[in-house]
Amino acid sequence: MKAPADLLLLPQWVVPIESAGARDSAHTGSVGRSGSPHPCGALADHAVVVQDGMILDVLPADAAQGRYHAAQTVALPSHALIPGLVNLHGHAAMSLLRGFADDLPLMTWLNEHIWPAEKRLVSDAFVRDGTLLAAAEMLAGGVTCCNDMYYFPQAAGEAFLQAGMRATLGMIVLEFPSAYASDADDYLAKGLALRDALKDEPLLSFAFAPHAPYTITDATFGRINTLAEQLGLPIHTHIHETADEIRDSLQQHGMRPLERLARLGLLGPNFIGVHAVHVNDAEIELLAQHGCHLAHCPSSNLKLASGIAPVAKLTAAGVNLGFGTDGAASNNRLDLFGEMRLAALLAKGTSGMATALPAAAALKAATLDAARALNLDSQIGSIVAGKRADLVAVDLHALSSQPVFDPVSHLVYVAGREHVTHVWVDGILKLHDRKLVDLDIDDLSARATYWRTKLTA
């Protein structure tokens, strides 16, 4: 008798991300029909079996059809099936500020345009609408999980749940007042209340999100560090994004920002630094020694003229790296396929080594390594029996994709988010044949137009 299953997926290739040796011994089908795995790690003519939102099995397609009786079978004859992409750093609600203040350096952009606009407009409604717009864009582009940092995180959480997208909600902390909170104590209190209110939602997790060393005092960092250790939560903050940030820290504190955070005890396996554009060799070694994680945001760093992170040195030192889009106001796309390709090319160009950040490493950074930074790698990030079924089908049939020698190489250097046809989160279909299943595109567009009118009035 065949075993029951909810879903049987039959792609041309399964790209599990984790190597055969790293997968559970009970997980069958680690080789293709030829008897050996594809040299890039992709499994040809394999199936993925899903039950109750979980990956039940990965095995050769013939064996799967003989072993399982699925309520639904989806044939994907020209597709690569990959784990859902993980956006390790973003400000989802800022999708409503896309293109608002372009072609400006970071501090001018923030001080003279973004922060004044946010002071006027940011509210529960703004964050809910902006986050829903961002979730739609990300899901359509194969991003199934993001690490978000913004005001009114409860409204963001409600929007992510409405979209059916996985998210880590940043409990944002600043010293100065906003429409959301009055001071650091108020930000922390509201963040902790948010965690208490939504901690039982399976698609949501939480992180402390102090904005940056230049907006947080030592005392507040100390309190955050204590709470993070008590609750076992990540700390997610901008770090070494610009040369000005480092110069100002030297003037104010007599040390560079990373040294300051190290002295405060913040560096460790729960630390996610964002950007890390201006890090020297000693700081790279410091990050590696402490087991820190970095969110590399190449498009945003280039657009704001902040610089280029030394990715080849960081990965050579063993620093765990994921990719982030940053907000749509500074990118202006929430496109992780674009970030993968750009990151790989920049690593090669800046290091002078064509072997820097190869395709397989870039794809792993966008999936399993980013999940690891969020403490979610036991749940998502690879196609392994026992993990949640966050899955993305990428069609490599187009003429621009032919011929396919190596599907992993194509996923990084050839494919784009326009090639994503199907997306599942927790086994639930979110994108079908390039069309969002649950979200009304016309409604989202109307909301965006409303906020554009408010912003320009």
Side-chain angles (χ1 to χ4, degrees), residues 85-89 143 296-302 322-327 330-346 357 362 365-366 412 415:
L85 302 178
V86 179
N87 187 351
L88 192 53
H89 174 69
V143 178
H296 176 37
C297 306
S299 293
S300 178
N301 294 154
L302 289 174
F323 302 136
T325 60
D326 213 341
S330 66
N331 185 310
N332 298 6
R333 298 154 61 93
L334 307 182
D335 178 4
L336 222 56
F337 278 91
E339 302 302 326
M340 274 196 296
R341 185 175 191 272
L342 182 58
L345 297 181
L346 285 175
L357 199 65
V412 175

Side-chain angles (χ1 to χ4, degrees), residues 138-155:
M138 285 190 279
L139 286 170
V143 178
T144 58
C145 176
C146 74
N147 183 27
D148 195 47
M149 175 196 284
Y150 206 63
Y151 306 103
F152 296 97
Q154 180 144 353

Side-chain angles (χ1 to χ4, degrees), residues 335-408:
D335 178 4
L336 222 56
F337 278 91
E339 302 302 326
M340 274 196 296
R341 185 175 191 272
L342 182 58
L345 297 181
L346 285 175
K348 299 173 195 308
T350 55
S351 68
M353 297 184 296
T355 55
L357 199 65
L363 185 58
K364 184 168 177 278
T367 53
L368 186 60
D369 291 344
R372 176 182 158 206
L374 296 173
N375 293 330
L376 293 175
D377 52 315
S378 64
Q379 299 179 49
I380 61 170
S382 59
I383 302 179
V384 173
K387 289 196 176 184
R388 305 309 299 174
D390 291 8
L391 302 165
V392 172
V394 184
D395 190 357
L396 300 180
H397 177 69
L399 287 178
S400 59
S401 301
Q402 299 303 311
V404 182
F405 294 104
D406 179 342
V408 171

Side-chain angles (χ1 to χ4, degrees), residues 300-311:
S300 178
N301 294 154
L302 289 174
K303 184 165 180 285
L304 294 169
S306 299
I308 302 170
V311 166

Side-chain angles (χ1 to χ4, degrees), residues 21 35 39 42 98 120 157 174 186 255 274 285 299 337 358 368 429 457:
R98 191 194 319 266
R120 282 197 298 120
L174 292 157
D186 194 21
M255 65 189 80
V274 183
E285 185 59 30
S299 293
F337 278 91
L368 186 60
L429 186 65

